[in-house]
Amino acid sequence: MPNKLGAANFDLGIIAGTRSINPTLSTMLPDRDDGKVSVARTRVEGMDDHLEMPVTHVFMMKNPKVIAQVIHYLQHGKFARAAEDNAQ
């Protein structure tokens, strides 16, 4: 169903996890994944920003670095990148 929704026409930033605690499921997913979703499947046409982080699907929402990125996105409309952090 989500694939039938079309491009996002609203402000959208997506964080994709790249670590898995589920090696069995990860072997069934193409390329990198977070144990539940492949990074490739997190991309949505029309999104404003996309960030990959070394976190698992299950614990992503409690990760302090993910939380900091969400706050940064809400304040600035984009995720923080290392080059931007060094420029500030």
Side-chain angles (χ1 to χ4, degrees):
M1 184 54 127
N3 294 332
K4 296 179 181 181
L5 296 175
N9 60 359
F10 50 88
D11 188 23
L12 178 62
I14 298 172
I15 298 176
T18 60
R19 295 279 164 91
S20 175
I21 57 174
N22 188 339
T24 303
L25 183 57
S26 288
T27 60
M28 294 185 270
L29 295 169
D31 302 318
R32 292 182 320 230
D33 64 85
D34 65 2
K36 298 278 184 191
V37 181
S38 70
V39 171
R41 298 287 290 177
T42 65
R43 296 192 175 275
V44 175
E45 186 179 343
M47 68 185 167
D48 296 297
D49 203 355
H50 186 270
L51 182 66
E52 295 178 25
M53 296 186 72
V55 295
T56 66
H57 187 87
V58 176
F59 299 111
M60 177 184 293
M61 74 290 285
K62 292 187 177 188
N63 183 289
K65 291 181 180 181
V66 171
I67 293 168
Q69 285 289 354
V70 170
I71 292 168
H72 190 277
Y73 183 85
L74 292 172
Q75 292 174 335
H76 303 283
K78 60 183 178 180
F79 295 115
R81 301 297 199 280
E84 292 174 6
D85 291 341
N86 294 333
Q88 294 178 4

